[in-house]
Amino acid sequence: MLEHLRSEFDSADSIDLLCAFIKVSGFEKFRTEIERHCDARGRSLRVLTTTYMGASDVLAIERLAALPNATVKISYDENTTRLHAKAWIFHRASGFSTAFVGSSNLSHAAQTDGLEWNVRMTQSDQPALVAQMQETFDQYWADAHQFERYEPGNDAQRVRLTRPSRRTPATIRARRCCSKLSRGTSRSRCLRNSRRRASLDGTAI
């Protein structure tokens, strides 16, 4: 995935990125390409992301938002956020835009050795699908209630980004457990399953 994406930057007139999590490890993988696109070439980059589960790194968002011609918008609402999509759209005035959609967030693991599935689409072969992706991204981008522009160096926004998430993996498992109990699963069995999953990923419930 990493090399496929890297090959798209130089010919793109503008880029849109939609992903739930942004990690420093992922940003660093594309730092040269992103800086060349935004700074050296003066082309735009729009990023939509979230604070879901507290997974995004403040430093990564700060670095992205501080770049010239880059704009980052964030959904801080952990109760209603349903954004789980991951997509890149590389716009080209030539009519040869490309888009990637799949499971990879902007992180080292997702871009290198993660078991991820991603699909590449081209405007020339699938114009309707690429146009639909662009239309959906633009709708999200225009939703000022759901996605707020991030201003680098803004202390109040940094606090919101670093605020501990209420939706940690452990709390999500606990809520699922309660849901299973309501459907008839025994409490002891539910808790055993939750603790087993917690031991596997190093979290506690």
Side-chain angles (χ1 to χ4, degrees):
M1 183 64 175
L2 180 63
E3 295 306 321
H4 288 293
L5 287 172
R6 281 176 172 167
S7 69
E8 302 279 346
F9 278 83
D10 284 348
S11 58
D13 296 311
S14 62
I15 300 172
D16 291 334
L17 169 61
L18 171 72
C19 65
F21 310 146
I22 296 179
K23 311 294 287 184
V24 170
S25 63
F27 170 76
E28 290 298 326
K29 291 296 179 184
F30 297 103
R31 185 167 188 166
T32 298
E33 289 79 12
I34 291 174
E35 289 181 345
R36 184 165 61 235
H37 174 85
C38 293
D39 195 355
R41 292 191 168 91
R43 298 172 182 176
S44 71
L45 169 67
R46 299 190 299 175
V47 179
L48 289 172
T49 189
T50 78
T51 57
Y52 182 67
M53 288 176 61
S56 288
D57 291 337
V58 178
L59 182 58
I61 292 174
E62 281 278 337
R63 288 176 177 175
L64 275 171
L67 289 170
N69 302 302
T71 307
V72 179
K73 290 188 177 183
I74 301 174
S75 172
Y76 296 94
D77 190 344
E78 297 180 353
N79 294 317
T80 62
T81 292
R82 295 293 183 269
L83 175 62
H84 193 63
K86 295 90 177 176
W88 294 79
I89 307 175
F90 296 89
H91 302 277
R92 298 180 180 89
S94 63
F96 290 93
S97 298
T98 51
F100 291 76
V101 62
S103 64
S104 298
N105 280 299
L106 194 57
S107 68
H108 169 81
Q111 297 298 328
T112 55
D113 54 5
L115 299 179
E116 310 286 347
W117 284 40
N118 297 279
V119 176
R120 181 181 185 269
M121 294 173 283
T122 64
Q123 185 180 10
S124 57
D125 290 336
Q126 297 171 304
L129 283 176
V130 174
Q132 185 176 9
M133 286 181 65
Q134 182 58 60
E135 181 181 355
T136 303
F137 185 96
D138 288 340
Q139 289 175 353
Y140 293 162
W141 191 261
D143 187 351
H145 176 71
Q146 183 69 28
F147 292 95
E148 302 177 35
R149 179 168 181 168
Y150 184 83
E151 300 291 344
N154 185 306
D155 290 339
Q157 287 184 308
R158 285 180 64 90
V159 169
R160 294 178 74 186
L161 280 175
T162 56
R163 183 178 300 153
S165 172
R166 296 185 303 276
R167 296 175 65 85
T168 63
T171 59
I172 290 173
R173 281 194 296 271
R175 291 177 184 178
R176 288 175 180 168
C177 185
C178 291
S179 176
K180 290 178 181 178
L181 285 173
S182 68
R183 296 197 301 269
T185 302
S186 72
R187 178 179 177 83
S188 59
R189 179 181 176 185
C190 181
L191 290 175
R192 282 199 306 273
N193 290 339
S194 295
R195 292 189 181 112
R196 187 179 302 116
R197 294 190 190 97
S199 67
L200 291 174
D201 63 16
T203 61
I205 183 170

